[in-house]
Amino acid sequence: MSKEITTREADYSQWYNDLVIKGELADHSSVRGCMVIKPYGYALWENMRDQLDKMFKATGHVNAYFPLFVPKSLFEAEEKNAEGFAKECAVVTHYRLKNDPNNKGKLIVDPEAKLEEELVIRPTSEAIIWNTYKGWIQSYRDLPLLINQWANVVRWEMRTRLFLRTAEFLWQEGHTAHATKEEAIEETTKMLDVYAEFVEHYMAVPVIKGVKTPNERFAGAEDTYCIEALMQDGKALQAGTSHFLGQNFAKAFDVQFLNKENKKEFVWATSWGVSTRLIGALIMAHSDDQGLIMPPRIAPLQVVIVPIYKGEESKPIIDDKVALLTRDLKALGISVKYDNSENARPGWKFAEYELKGVPVRVAMGLRDIENNVVELARRDTKEKSTVSFEGLALHILQLLEEIQQQIFNKALAFRNENIREANTWDEFVEILDAKAGFVSAHWDGTSETEDKIKEQTKATIRCIPLDNKQENGKCILTGNPSTQRVLFARAY
RNA sequence: CGGGAUGUAGCGUAGCCCGGUUAUCGCGCCUGGUUUGGGACCAGGAGGUCGCAAGUUCGAAUCUUGCCAUCCCGACCA
């Protein structure tokens, strides 16, 4: 029983790590801050990626691929962006190794092979992409340009955590160019909606759509929109961002187009991204002390069938019956695995698939076959039921849908219970310390106040919700007048 | 990068303070058999540069120094 996992209560961080590693999503690698995404974890990412990709294409985007390396001179062109990422850039300075004359069998960097210009490994691709767009855009007829890329990026983080913050991570980044400000803003919010739809509908994680304060804004953006999710320990997690970049990058890279009046204008830009971090959100939003809980719509495996053999002669009987079910499930587009491996007994398999979060488990033995039933177990509630073999595949299809809903509803209820209003500083601090979650409070709108609150409580303004109601109040810290509440939380 | 902890077989560990035969135990793994409705049992077997590198010593898992990695708490961040 080396697979026991730490409980959330005992050590939330350890619980999270146990799920990632023992659930076989990912592992630490021998590269500092970088993880190996294992087949089960990668299958999850593929499902997420495929769904997002469909949604991007449905909204008119196409995929392309830009280089991993960004020449330093391009990288520094948009000053705010460069400054924001400068501290966490890996930089390639040489292009060759050679044998170490003083140490046989070892290699050293060849000092003769220094690059004329250093190459920054992209922490994000605005620079290289806008440098490219300059050559692609001349006329208003070239706009809008709606491009996405699936890529890896590197951010040299001080402290890393599996999926939540790794030095290298996988993501997608959309980079669009528009003729008007209005159209660019519309694109920004449209993609935010796509993200919210994906995260809620497929990952079953409820999110709050909002806009960031200047302090939390993406370096080089005019406005950063975000979706914020709440984890079971009461900490918030930024699940995706969509930036309105104004004309900052167009000006930095001199990307202009001729409008219908034959006048030159700078184009308007957006960028938006979600990453493998979403997997961290998925884990922390749903899972329990028995392991992962995968939402059926993106689960790497939706159904597992475990045979309960009784003697050698029972095997072909059960195998044959299972084959019928497997065929029916596949016909409905349900992913299914028949685990008839002999090296583990049923109890072990039950525990294993619970750890991995497979939504539905089917157990079938001779006893069931005699009664023309199976035992169904759902991962989210751990309820078991005995169900007729007739119409079973359809029944499972419905059950998967029900589980998807149930997981979302549970996470939504938790999230909603954990948004609390604070009207005094004491109340604010007490909620953060005793209950965590989101705290909805008035803020005077200044960066100074935001900084002070962060300093004193570690809480940041996660966002100003898009559907915020306007109400007069007094800033929680300074008592200065405020026109709306904003959402504070401690965050990942 | 600052503070704290850890690193012994695939995993979890004993031994380290006080250096001394062949490095302990459990799980897992392999072979054979019996099994299978919630993490099976019996018998036999394989598996170790004690994180890496130097140093002290007749002798280092154990002492010293440096490095690497991981975890926790800060700063930074998607």
Side-chain angles (χ1 to χ4, degrees), chain A residues 181-200:
Chain A
K181 179 179 181 178
E182 294 66 37
E183 192 186 297
I185 292 174
E186 194 194 326
E187 166 79 5
T188 311
T189 55
K190 180 199 285 177
M191 297 322 287
L192 189 74
D193 289 343
V194 166
Y195 286 157
E197 160 77 8
F198 171 74
V199 175
E200 294 198 331

Side-chain angles (χ1 to χ4, degrees), chain A residues 46-101:
Chain A
E46 283 176 317
N47 287 347
M48 292 164 62
R49 186 195 63 192
D50 290 351
Q51 181 54 40
L52 279 166
D53 202 64
K54 268 186 213 158
M55 295 169 86
F56 296 156
K57 285 173 179 157
T59 43
H61 302 84
V62 292
N63 286 330
Y65 188 80
F66 297 86
L68 171 69
F69 305 113
V70 186
K72 188 166 81 66
S73 58
L74 289 184
F75 187 75
E76 64 200 6
E78 208 297 320
E79 280 180 37
K80 279 188 185 153
N81 185 251
E83 207 183 298
F85 283 102
K87 298 184 300 296
E88 44 189 303
C89 286
V91 185
V92 179
T93 55
H94 292 75
Y95 58 86
R96 196 164 63 205
L97 298 170
K98 65 173 193 178
N99 290 323
D100 184 348

Side-chain angles (χ1 to χ4, degrees), chain A residues 18 74 79 110 123 152 155 189 224 233 287 295 313 317 330 340 370 383:
Chain A
D18 282 356
L74 289 184
E79 280 180 37
D110 186 347
N152 58 341
R155 296 183 187 176
T189 55
T224 289
D233 62 346
S287 305
E313 65 284 358
I317 301 170
K330 283 183 178 162
N340 60 349
E370 280 164 23
E383 288 166 346

